[in-house]
Amino acid sequence: LSSWIPQGTYLESNRDECTVSLIYAVHLKKQGSVSFEYQYPDNNLLFEFFIQNDQCQEMDQSADTKWLKLTNHGEWATHTVNLKSGTNILYWRTGGVLMGSKVVKPVFLKNVQIEGVAYTSECFPCKPGTFSHVPGSSTCDPCPRDTYSGHGASSCTPCNTTTHYDILNFLEEHNETTQVMYKWLEPKICLENVTGAESLPPSGERKACPPCNPGFYNNDTATCSPCPQGTYSDGMKPCKQCPAGTEPALGYEFKWWNILPSNMKTSCFNVGNSKCDSMNGWEVAGDHIQSGAGSSDNDYLILNIHVPGFKLPTSMSSHSGTEFGRITFEFETICSADCELYFMMDVNRKSTTVVESWERTQTRQSYTHVMTKNASVSYTWAFQRTNQPSDVRRHVNDVARIYSISVSNAVDGVSSDCRACALSTQPSSSTCVPCPPGHYIDTHSSQCTECPSNTYLVSHAMPSPDACKPCGPASMSDKDHSLCYSDCHFTHTEGNVTLTFDFSLLGSVGSLMNGPSFTSKGTKYFHQFNISIKYRPFLNVCAYLSITDSQREKGDGANAVKTFICQSTIIPASGRGFHTALSSQSINLADTFLGVTVHNTLDGISARPEMYPQTSKKVPDVNFYYRSLETTSSCESGRSAVLTLRCNPEKSTKGDLSVPSRCPAGTCDGCTFNFLWESSGACPTCTERDYHQIEGACKGGHQDLLYVWTEPKLCIGGVALPEKKTLPCEGMEFWVRLGAGMGAFTAVLLVSLTCYFWKKNKRLEYKYSRLVMSANKECEMPGADSCAVMEGENEGDMEDEVVYTKPSLLGKLKAIASKVKNYEHVQLNSSHSKALVWS
């Protein structure tokens, strides 16, 4: 059963995703206020405070008073809200976002004070170690030395000095001469001369003083002093002036731990007791600094370094890059239990956020965090051996060690070396001058030189042409050479076909809320992704509920992230008791653009096309590759993301975003995220090859030419379909008339020829019959040439015997007729000759 649990001087909230409310009703005679102290260290647990009247109506509250801000581990924050006269019902409500198997840190609540009531209903009991002689006193007095008290004591009890001692009441100390010495913790509340008592270990041998930290020098005293401004030292040599053409590289580099640096502090805190309040949380140990013993295993051992701001080198002071400085530290943890080391940051003293954390034993390793905003920042390390309270020390030997801490470009830093700077163009000038944005320093001429086209300047690189890195495929640099980006245009050539894409049609931001998913206790949640492919990463700031709209537009607020792709976890209002949906802190997945290509790999990142439904379209998928500069314990190279744009003419230009079905959270390993954006806006620009021509029927001597898109249409925008054209043509009517005319002419010709040959045939029959008749008569022998010529015949008829040789159709027909006539004539002559002979 989840609930708020009393823990003596404070209340402890639940640690799971259940929603639990702490309710207190009070009636005010006049306007007043409520104030309370709280600890809220873990943003995986949501914490809200709101007020209702006696009608269960929620009072008007701003987001700043309703949603509690995160606190440093072990530090208490005070929250105050004004109350109206009448009945006020106060609600402190907690609920988890998503924990998985990880145990979250609970919320602690204490010292609730309400003003405006008619009387005080009860007194607060004195905390352990204090007492009050008179009931109703306004304060509690501390117990004298060698006495103790419990919760709500009215007096202190003397310690039994003959039987009680503390075996952990000494610590190791390194003095300025590096001799290891041991002393008792103050106040000393133990005996060392009884049986079984521990005695102080003997002091160590004196050793030669180690060198100072870089940027410091030994001034013949027991301490190291920072080098004066404009000078540098490696910690072993005296400080020297930087040579001409160079300037000091400011920062901190702590790798020798003889004393705690002046800009660092350490403390110990336990919410359940104040035993370790006066103890050091961390102790210097020569070549490292390590967690102290504390008073109990669940103490928070805190180490803090404050950086008031950052200052870029003179030559880069005009640059508008995304990096102002970076902190790098080398550490290890050795644990036998569920210890955890937190690394946190507080920007401009607004709120503390956990940057990274490491659980259980961690081998010696290095971690770097990049500062992308020029602001005052406090970095904090908090080590806790276990989060389970216990009066018995079981894990006192669990330890966290930090070997080195370095901060670059710190405004109040010292210099361990010098870096090249650009010199003024005036003759014999040795003054460093700022380089224009996108310029690096030519070490040969000490002059500013602009980076080549489509390259970006690496801010922390050494001055050289290598400081200008080329942009990825299909990307270009801005005018300041501070980053690479895509102008939303992409061209791909395969064979003799060139495809041109214009992705600006997709819009400025695409959103995806996948799910729902459910925790082990049934809490519904969604993963919200915001994706932008346009220009600069800070144009896309993930939505969250803890800042105002104006802050969101400016990219301000504790949870704002400047990125191309970000993720947050959303818990809907339904079923949780909250009045609005809740959003976890946004996670930066892609703040650096790498390039665009149709290939499935780029810079070691894979697109994994097999995780998406296959397509038979002829248009290839286009992949946008991104990387995040922020590394995590599980992603040493940082997170990466691949956005695949797929042409789908059935979708709108806005399209639909999706994640692989086998990885519903967008990632299968927690480091590489894959997204598919299907849209008609991801289709290539239309060209002449995307449509074809259709010829219409010829009507009235005119023919229409139409143009239609080739189906399926796999393009958008670009060229438009040509207008319908009308051209003159010779239609079917003309050919029908022509055919009819030709047919009529042919028919007339055939009829004429038929008549002509019929007439000729009749003449031949007549002549043949005359010849037969004359052959049977006895008459005088006629001349051979006139035998067939009858009386009364015209001479013109003799022309029938003439054979024309002109190669015409009519001539050929006549020649055929003449041949028949001559043949018959010869036969008749032969017969006639025989008759004459016989006579």
Side-chain angles (χ1 to χ4, degrees), residues 224-240:
C224 295
S225 301
C227 287
Q229 185 177 1
T231 64
Y232 73 99
S233 172
D234 60 359
M236 295 183 290
K237 300 176 182 178
C239 301
K240 297 188 298 183

Side-chain angles (χ1 to χ4, degrees), residues 592-651:
T592 301
F593 175 68
L594 299 180
V596 186
T597 178
V598 298
H599 301 298
N600 294 327
T601 57
L602 180 66
D603 196 25
I605 305 173
S606 299
R608 306 286 301 275
E610 70 277 3
M611 296 194 300
Y612 301 118
Q614 298 301 310
T615 175
S616 59
K617 301 291 193 308
K618 298 180 180 180
V619 178
D621 293 341
V622 181
N623 300 314
F624 280 66
Y625 291 86
Y626 302 91
R627 193 183 296 279
S628 172
L629 296 176
E630 298 179 1
T631 60
T632 65
S633 57
S634 58
C635 307
E636 296 181 355
S637 300
R639 297 184 180 95
S640 58
V642 182
L643 174 62
T644 300
L645 302 184
R646 174 172 291 179
C647 170
N648 190 337
E650 299 177 358
K651 304 287 186 179

Side-chain angles (χ1 to χ4, degrees), residues 773-790:
M773 291 175 59
S774 59
N776 295 328
K777 292 181 180 181
E778 294 183 2
C779 61
E780 296 179 358
M781 180 69 63
D785 295 334
S786 61
C787 178
V789 178
M790 305 304 299

Side-chain angles (χ1 to χ4, degrees), residues 178-470:
T178 71
Q179 182 185 26
V180 179
M181 302 179 65
Y182 298 88
K183 65 179 183 179
W184 295 109
L185 292 176
E186 294 294 339
K188 182 182 178 183
I189 55 172
C190 63
L191 294 176
E192 57 180 312
N193 55 357
V194 297
T195 304
E198 289 282 342
S199 59
L200 285 175
S203 298
E205 297 181 358
R206 292 182 178 272
K207 298 180 181 178
C209 289
C212 296
N213 281 309
F216 292 80
Y217 72 101
N218 192 317
N219 57 356
D220 296 329
T221 65
T223 60
C224 295
S225 301
C227 287
Q229 185 177 1
T231 64
Y232 73 99
S233 172
D234 60 359
M236 295 183 290
K237 300 176 182 178
C239 301
K240 297 188 298 183
Q241 290 284 341
C242 286
T246 64
E247 62 179 333
L250 298 179
Y252 312 125
E253 186 178 355
F254 301 126
K255 59 182 181 180
W256 296 107
W257 304 94
N258 303 314
I259 60 172
L260 192 68
S262 59
N263 62 341
M264 298 183 70
K265 63 179 182 179
T266 179
S267 60
C268 178
F269 180 81
N270 192 309
V271 68
N273 62 72
S274 58
K275 293 179 181 178
C276 77
D277 287 357
S278 60
M279 296 180 179
N280 288 331
W282 292 69
E283 299 289 345
V284 295
D287 64 345
H288 65 274
I289 185 171
Q290 65 182 22
S291 55
S295 63
S296 59
D297 288 347
N298 67 331
D299 291 343
Y300 285 106
L301 308 173
I302 298 169
L303 178 67
N304 175 274
I305 182 172
H306 178 68
V307 183
F310 297 89
K311 180 183 178 182
L312 292 174
T314 302
S315 301
M316 301 181 63
S317 58
S318 62
H319 292 191
S320 59
T322 58
E323 180 179 333
F324 287 91
R326 55 177 55 196
I327 180 171
T328 302
F329 58 94
E330 189 176 357
F331 72 98
E332 70 174 351
T333 58
I334 302 174
C335 302
S336 60
D338 56 340
C339 71
E340 189 162 6
L341 175 65
Y342 299 89
F343 174 60
M344 301 170 287
M345 62 181 295
D346 180 4
V347 179
N348 290 332
R349 299 188 182 276
K350 289 184 177 180
S351 63
T352 300
T353 58
V354 177
V355 179
E356 189 58 84
S357 63
W358 298 267
E359 297 178 348
R360 300 185 179 276
T361 297
Q362 297 288 328
T363 58
R364 187 168 176 172
Q365 58 189 276
S366 179
Y367 179 81
T368 299
H369 176 74
V370 177
M371 188 66 183
T372 59
K373 184 177 182 180
N374 192 359
S376 173
V377 59
S378 292
Y379 297 107
T380 301
W381 295 264
F383 179 68
Q384 188 182 41
R385 293 181 170 90
T386 179
N387 59 12
Q388 301 298 325
S390 175
D391 294 333
V392 180
R393 299 299 303 270
R394 294 185 175 90
H395 311 293
V396 67
N397 293 323
D398 291 2
V399 65
R401 298 189 180 105
I402 296 179
Y403 292 92
S404 64
I405 299 175
S406 62
V407 181
S408 65
N409 300 334
V411 69
D412 64 339
V414 294
S415 177
S416 61
D417 59 5
C418 301
R419 59 176 295 159
C421 69
L423 298 179
S424 173
T425 56
Q426 296 180 358
S428 68
S429 174
S430 60
T431 304
C432 293
V433 296
C435 281
H439 288 64
Y440 68 94
I441 303 171
D442 188 339
T443 54
H444 298 289
S445 63
S446 296
Q447 299 297 315
C448 299
T449 305
E450 184 177 6
C451 285
S453 177
N454 290 334
T455 62
Y456 67 97
L457 184 64
V458 180
S459 57
H460 62 276
M462 295 300 294
S464 69
D466 294 336
C468 302
K469 300 296 183 181

